[in-house]
Amino acid sequence: MNAARGSLCLKNVTVAYQGIEALAEVSLTLKPGEAAALIGLSGSGKTTLLNTCNALIQPTNGAVSIDGKKFSEMSSQELRYARSRIGFIHQSLSLVPNLRVIQNVVSGRLGQRSFLGGARDLLFPSTNVVEKVYEVLDSVGIAEKIYERTDRLSGGQQQRVAIARALFQDPLILLADEPISSVDPVRAKATISLIREICKKKGLTLCVSLHNLDLAKTFFPRLIGLQDGRLIFDKATETVGANEINKLFNLPDGCIDFGPLTSKPSMLGKSLE
Amino acid sequence: MNRASSGQRRMVIITLAIAGVWAANALKLNPIDLVTNNTSIIYDFFSRALSPAMDYESDVPLGTKPLIVKTLSAAWQTILFAAAAMGISLIGGVLFGFLASSSLMIESARGTVKYITVTLYGLVRFLMALIRSIHELLWAVLFLVAFGISELSAVIALALPCTGILAKIFSELIDETSRSAAHAIRGGGGTPIQVYFFVLLPQTIPDLLAYSFYRFECLLRSSAVLGFFGYPTLGFYIAASFENLFYGEVWCYLYTLFLLVAIVDIWSNQIRAELKL
Ligand SMILES: Nc1ncnc2c1ncn2[C@@H]1O[C@H](COP(=O)(O)OP(=O)(O)O)[C@@H](O)[C@H]1O
Ligand SMILES: [Mg+2]
């Protein structure tokens, strides 16, 4: 057995696109089982940061390591294994629309399967696999949709399929990039709460990027503030002051924070997506 | 549509029209050539279109299969050649379509891996262009010279250009598919081959099937023409009846071919409707 427990460490990570830095000298560590929310304006580098955490983006400088092992020093086998234990819920959901729900969920585990094993899971899943998929779908509340075509589900239901696919990987670390950007406010709260509960129960390390400050404060013990690719603060939620928040969102000093920032996009001058 | 591009389009159309007139002039095309001494043959042939033969137009030895039976068995042979070629081309198209698409480049590779990937991509695209630049009937003639009449070489002759075309079309369909799900699975540890077969290919299946059916139609026609070289498909009997001026029989074979193509068309429409549900 691998001694993997799910710690994640970024050290002086810089990512530059054509010379322009999307992420600058970011260092942070998530201990196994820890939960943190990543907050910042649109374009502050949240997606870029999360994508370096499963090596979909390679840093121009600095290093990302999982359980003490740097991505850049892994063999392709090790990289594949590491990735297979990192669940990722993408902002655009990234599902295959014309496959069934069960097939999308099962494809989360391709990183742990051979080619033929994967083919079998997708085309002729064993009862064991079907039961596991059912269980995961049940935990996100859409078990009855298991054989439905994915593009026939509502946005909120597809969201849950994306979560189920990440959970089906049996991950040690769960990353989520604005997982609630496509659902209504009520559903948003339920979704974040659900992700948080599942991670607590299974002891998964969790990092979620959010543009809703209220939800971040309610559900996460640790907040990480990003601005123009730089780490502005990284500390326990109750110690984050109003002035730090104002600075993060380029608000004038003394302006109190007003919950869901999306409700006042015009005041901020910058889009909050 | 903006003004610049509509102006560009006009230029293209005018250029094409001029090129067409110039080519016709260079070839000395003249409509009068169509109405010369052959009018009676043309009339004989087309007048039989409304009354295709249901039985032989000459005395045949006792025990010869009825015309309809012979037609159906020729049609069956035509289908067999086309289907065998289709099977090979589909497998070849899917496999080479993978290498000819940018599937291996979903993630920016480094060093030797990148070098190998790009070389393979270029090599396969070149190979596919090579095999499809020669028409199946030309391949058939080449193989005929090399191996004589052989079912296998006929099937391969049909399959070669079809594989080249399918690989090109499949790879383009793959490259037009959204990469977002592919990235997600790659980020979860999926290999490029898994991503191609289980994420990208499923998304293109409706288009891929539609195009494959169209290619099957083309194969049916080419398979029929193979008969002119002596294979037992419809073309073999068309050539024989034509030589003997039995135009009624020719029309019987032609209508059978038309029927085959129509059936494939209906079948393809049904399957696509089911997929779209
Ligand atoms: N593929 C890319 N090419 C060039 N620039 C990019 C690319 N992806 C992101 N960027 C830039 O990097 C910055 C950070 O983007 P991103 O990580 O998507 O921010 P966020 O997720 O917080 O909105 C932005 O300025 C964006 O324009
Ligand atoms: Mg983003």
Side-chain angles (χ1 to χ4, degrees), chain A residues 32-262:
Chain A
E34 210 178 349
L38 197 57
I39 53 177
L41 288 168
S42 170
S44 58
K46 304 183 294 294
T47 301
T48 306
L49 193 156
L50 288 173
N51 276 317
T52 60
C53 295
N54 67 351
L56 272 182
I57 293 177
Q58 279 127 24
T60 322
N61 252 314
V64 181
S65 43
I66 301 293
D67 291 319
K69 180 100 186 169
K70 286 181 189 164
F71 277 132
S72 55
E73 287 168 5
M74 288 183 186
S75 68
S76 62
Q77 279 306 312
E78 286 171 317
L79 175 63
R80 187 170 187 229
Y81 178 77
R83 281 175 162 176
S84 76
R85 304 308 297 273
I86 302 172
F88 201 128
I89 302 159
H90 292 264
Q91 185 170 2
S92 56
L93 303 185
S94 305
L95 301 167
V96 182
N98 59 345
L99 286 184
R100 293 177 195 285
V101 169
I102 180 172
Q103 291 171 314
N104 265 303
V105 173
V106 148
S107 68
R109 214 178 54 168
L110 282 173
Q112 292 152 41
R113 300 289 273 159
S114 66
F115 178 77
L116 289 177
R120 174 143 194 262
D121 279 358
L122 270 128
L123 298 172
F124 314 104
S126 64
T127 31
N128 188 16
V129 168
V130 176
E131 270 165 25
K132 271 194 197 145
V133 173
Y134 189 88
E135 224 170 85
V136 170
L137 285 173
D138 199 34
S139 73
V140 295
I142 51 165
E144 76 282 2
K145 302 288 184 196
I146 183 164
Y147 291 116
E148 196 91 17
R149 237 179 84 147
T150 308
D151 54 6
R152 268 186 242 149
L153 304 187
S154 72
Q157 289 167 336
Q158 292 192 23
Q159 183 100 56
R160 278 151 197 265
V161 177
I163 297 172
R165 181 177 68 184
L167 291 176
F168 192 70
Q169 276 178 251
D170 192 17
L172 296 165
I173 300 172
L174 190 64
L175 306 171
D177 192 11
E178 312 216 15
I180 52 171
S181 56
S182 58
V183 292
D184 58 76
V186 182
R187 186 76 43 68
K189 188 166 177 186
T191 305
I192 293 297
S193 161
L194 176 75
I195 292 176
R196 188 76 177 90
E197 283 311 311
I198 289 173
C199 289
K200 245 186 221 165
K201 205 170 76 191
K202 298 191 168 181
L204 310 186
T205 311
L206 175 65
C207 186
V208 179
S209 79
L210 280 175
H211 58 259
N212 185 318
L213 190 59
D214 246 8
L215 289 182
K217 281 176 149 180
T218 315
F219 289 101
F220 292 88
R222 175 175 166 191
L223 297 184
I224 301 168
L226 265 186
Q227 186 181 49
D228 296 331
R230 283 168 202 288
L231 208 67
I232 298 291
F233 57 79
D234 174 11
K235 47 183 169 177
T237 304
E238 61 273 13
T239 63
V240 177
N243 57 332
E244 278 170 312
I245 297 286
N246 289 340
K247 192 176 154 226
L248 182 69
F249 293 114
N250 294 330
L251 296 176
D253 261 349
C255 182
I256 38 146
D257 84 73
F258 30 64
L261 281 150
T262 34

Side-chain angles (χ1 to χ4, degrees), chain B residues 236-259:
Chain B
F236 182 80
Y237 302 100
I238 292 177
S241 297
F242 214 98
E243 248 168 47
N244 294 317
L245 310 180
F246 299 153
Y247 297 136
E249 290 180 20
V250 172
W251 281 106
C252 175
Y253 299 128
L254 289 181
Y255 281 128
T256 310
L257 189 58
F258 167 72
L259 212 65

Side-chain angles (χ1 to χ4, degrees), chain B residues 78-221:
Chain B
T78 308
I79 295 174
L80 283 185
F81 277 97
M86 193 69 211
I88 295 173
S89 313
L90 269 179
I91 295 171
V94 165
L95 292 181
F96 290 116
F98 169 65
L99 297 172
S101 74
S102 56
S103 292
L104 273 174
M105 305 171 201
I106 283 182
E107 210 175 0
S108 49
R110 290 159 296 189
T112 22
V113 180
K114 180 173 185 174
Y115 185 70
I116 293 171
T117 317
V118 174
T119 312
L120 204 60
Y121 170 83
L123 213 64
V124 169
R125 287 194 84 96
F126 177 74
L127 187 72
M128 293 299 112
L130 203 70
I131 61 176
R132 73 169 181 269
S133 65
I134 298 174
H135 193 273
E136 50 261 42
L137 298 176
L138 202 47
W139 278 117
V141 172
L142 294 176
F143 286 161
L144 202 62
V145 173
F147 307 112
I149 287 263
S150 125
E151 269 78 7
L152 182 65
S153 68
V155 166
I156 292 176
L158 289 178
L160 277 178
C162 192
T163 300
I165 293 168
L166 288 185
K168 177 185 161 70
I169 300 291
F170 288 1
S171 69
E172 280 166 10
L173 285 175
I174 290 292
D175 283 344
E176 280 163 22
T177 306
S178 156
R179 280 291 140 96
S180 111
H183 269 119
I185 300 304
R186 193 82 181 97
T191 62
I193 294 178
Q194 286 177 327
V195 168
Y196 174 73
F197 279 97
F198 306 142
V199 179
L200 292 172
L201 213 51
Q203 291 179 79
T204 64
I205 276 192
D207 290 336
L208 196 138
L209 268 182
Y211 196 75
S212 301
F213 270 109
Y214 167 64
R215 283 325 304 183
F216 186 55
E217 249 181 67
C218 299
L219 281 177
L220 276 177
R221 287 189 274 126

Side-chain angles (χ1 to χ4, degrees), chain B residues 7 59 93 276:
Chain B
D59 292 333
K276 277 211 183 90

